[in-house]
Amino acid sequence: MQILKRRITTLLLVLFGILGATPAAMAIDGTVEDIRIGQHPDKIRFVMDLSRPLDFKVFSLANPYRVVIDLPEVTFSRDAHPESRRPKAIKGFRFGLFRPGTSRVVIDTSQPYSIAAAFSLPAKGKQSPRIVLDLKPTTRAAFLTESAKSVAAAQAARRPILTAPKPAAPPLLTRPQRRANEKVLVAIDAGHGGVDPGAIGVSGVYEKQIVLNAARILKSELERTGRYKVVLTRDRDVFLRLRERIAIARRAEADLFVSLHADSIPNRKLRGASIYTLSEKASDKEANQLAENENKSDIIAGMDFGTETPEVTSILIDLAQRETMNHSARFAGMLVREMRGEVKLLKTAHRFAGFAVLKAPDIPSVLVELGFLSNNHDEKLLRSNAHLKRVAGALRRSIDNYFDHVQSAARAN
Ligand SMILES: [Zn+2]
């Protein structure tokens, strides 16, 4: 009986998967035309003007304090940027695609706020339909109780997820060796995306846009050789969890994982690219700070970690990871050699830190910081396709060198 039940559930999931794959499920449901945030004596009022009435869910999260609003997939109009008009208590907010079918707005507050009211108003005269949120200051203890309740309610209200169960990632250490005539598979990971913009450049450009462009250029540079197949972890402006980026590469049975970033630091004079590989011990303070920033991506997107199961670790993974880390470091060295002379590099170009996205136990992985969006000169270069093509050329040559080495070592064995 138990087995039969499980079979029926699986069948239903598969059916939902087929239904969910129809183009209708991908449609955009409306537009957020404007966002207004007002400070009132006793509350902060957050208003979204919509092109049509939309369902929404709202919940709050602690550490740091955030209010999250989930909507169907929408576009955000250019006017929805009240950055200059927001009250002090709102530290910042961002919005974008959270996953296909769901757009998200995340509001950061400087102290705990209670969601005192959340309602929609229909169109009236010239006024478009609206979603209104009233936030009132509260204590941390009251916030935590309310937050837990609001997350549970949002989860209960979640519509059935219309996607097929994902195929499991291949088990560790059983990856068949590629045959000589088989193409090498490279996973390219454009950092950030959707509700997580990444760093913001001096001209206002978002890191998520720069790195997606760089990923596409690198993909065509690699495919042109006929030697590589390329999988992009994302090919649109959508948020992806850090562990999902690794899972995509593992499901594709990638031979190499390259994560692309372009970050920002307070020192606006600093410029140059650098290459990171995984290490529990960071090579310096800056590397550690950078890894901390990058690892916050899931928090920035308003992820709730309350229902997470702890990561399974074992000695087997440890061993595989150590071997993988050696390969990663070898590739990073080759990449530094190819990039030197082509683009400006930091003085210590190969650095180490605990980046979560580099933790695939069985795929050599590097993270490339293409330059600093906080530096005028670097930012201008990163906005130019000609520059990104030069970088892609250096990456392609080092990937050639790396797999020449790997394949000749395999032949010698
Ligand atoms: Zn980044």
Side-chain angles (χ1 to χ4, degrees):
M1 188 60 199
Q2 197 63 34
I3 289 169
L4 183 66
K5 218 171 171 183
R6 210 175 301 151
R7 282 221 182 113
I8 291 172
T9 316
T10 313
L11 183 68
L12 281 176
L13 282 173
V14 171
L15 274 177
F16 273 130
I18 293 163
L19 294 174
T22 58
M26 303 294 285
I28 300 224
D29 287 304
T31 305
V32 174
E33 313 216 308
D34 195 9
I35 294 178
R36 286 170 282 131
I37 313 175
Q39 175 78 62
H40 298 258
D42 58 333
K43 69 186 177 209
I44 290 172
R45 176 159 275 197
F46 187 90
V47 181
M48 285 192 285
D49 290 325
L50 310 171
S51 61
R52 47 168 299 230
L54 293 172
D55 282 343
F56 70 99
K57 283 187 291 261
V58 57
F59 56 95
S60 51
L61 297 169
N63 309 318
Y65 296 116
R66 289 155 293 162
V67 175
V68 180
I69 307 161
D70 277 350
L71 303 161
E73 188 164 334
V74 293
T75 48
F76 290 87
S77 109
R78 280 175 175 277
D79 296 330
H81 278 277
E83 268 303 299
S84 53
R85 292 170 275 145
R86 66 181 151 85
K88 259 207 190 119
I90 304 288
K91 280 191 4 202
F93 75 94
R94 54 200 161 266
F95 46 73
L97 194 57
F98 178 62
R99 61 170 161 248
T102 306
S103 290
R104 174 168 280 192
V105 180
V106 183
I107 309 164
D108 300 309
T109 59
S110 53
Q111 61 179 89
Y113 273 87
S114 147
I115 303 164
F119 55 92
S120 12
L121 290 173
K124 201 175 154 196
K126 278 192 173 170
Q127 183 65 253
S128 43
R130 276 166 290 169
I131 290 173
V132 181
L133 234 62
D134 283 339
L135 306 176
K136 289 189 175 174
T138 185
T139 61
R140 178 169 172 85
F143 177 92
L144 291 177
T145 314
E146 190 192 291
S147 164
K149 271 193 214 149
S150 69
V151 169
Q155 272 166 354
R158 207 158 275 168
R159 277 169 267 151
I161 296 168
L162 296 179
T163 49
K166 289 199 181 106
L172 283 178
L173 299 174
T174 57
R175 206 135 39 103
Q177 288 285 333
R178 267 180 223 297
R179 280 186 301 265
N181 57 355
E182 228 180 323
K183 284 189 184 178
V184 172
L185 208 140
V186 180
I188 304 170
D189 173 51
H192 312 277
V195 68
D196 169 20
I200 300 174
V202 282
S203 79
V205 70
Y206 289 153
E207 179 184 356
K208 66 177 183 177
Q209 297 163 333
I210 299 271
V211 295
L212 181 55
N213 190 29
R216 288 172 176 156
I217 290 173
L218 176 58
K219 179 176 192 280
S220 66
E221 171 79 22
L222 289 173
E223 285 175 344
R224 223 156 36 85
T225 63
R227 186 178 182 186
Y228 305 105
K229 267 203 324 210
V230 173
V231 55
L232 296 180
T233 54
R234 69 178 179 94
D235 192 20
R236 63 187 291 213
D237 186 17
V238 64
F239 169 73
L240 268 184
R241 305 190 56 182
L242 293 171
R243 63 159 69 167
E244 182 57 21
R245 296 169 188 271
I246 297 174
I248 289 169
R250 295 201 64 235
R251 280 198 295 270
E253 301 193 10
D255 299 291
L256 184 68
F257 179 86
V258 179
S259 187
L260 300 176
H261 290 259
D263 281 281
S264 155
I265 53 163
N267 176 3
R268 287 180 159 226
K269 284 192 186 138
L270 196 65
R271 51 174 300 236
S274 47
I275 292 110
Y276 287 83
T277 52
L278 181 67
S279 163
E280 288 316 315
K281 227 177 137 258
S283 54
D284 52 71
K285 230 172 49 202
E286 286 76 28
N288 190 40
Q289 186 57 52
L290 196 65
E292 249 173 50
N293 289 344
E294 296 293 3
N295 292 347
K296 273 187 197 139
S297 171
D298 291 355
I299 290 175
I300 282 167
M303 287 303 307
D304 158 39
F305 293 101
T307 54
E308 293 274 343
T309 47
E311 211 78 56
V312 183
T313 51
S314 71
I315 292 169
L316 199 64
I317 289 180
D318 266 3
L319 284 174
Q321 192 136 47
R322 206 158 316 147
E323 163 99 5
T324 305
M325 279 157 79
N326 292 338
H327 287 300
S328 306
R330 178 189 299 280
F331 172 62
M334 292 172 163
L335 181 52
V336 168
R337 274 198 295 283
E338 289 302 328
M339 280 177 81
R340 189 157 276 150
E342 288 285 338
V343 297
K344 181 163 171 51
L345 291 176
L346 287 185
K347 216 182 259 167
T348 315
H350 179 194
R351 296 165 172 230
F352 304 88
F355 289 95
V357 79
L358 298 181
K359 286 189 176 169
D362 50 355
I363 307 173
S365 305
V366 302
L367 186 144
V368 184
E369 289 288 349
L370 296 165
F372 288 102
L373 290 175
S374 39
N375 176 272
N376 269 320
H377 194 90
D378 265 9
E379 202 227 35
K380 214 165 147 194
L381 285 173
L382 291 170
R383 282 190 282 123
S384 118
N385 281 353
H387 176 78
L388 294 178
K389 275 186 190 145
R390 263 200 307 281
V391 175
L395 266 154
R396 196 259 307 147
R397 290 194 301 279
S398 61
I399 293 172
D400 281 345
N401 296 345
Y402 174 73
F403 285 107
D404 286 349
H405 173 88
V406 169
Q407 285 161 350
S408 73
R411 271 195 299 275
N413 277 335

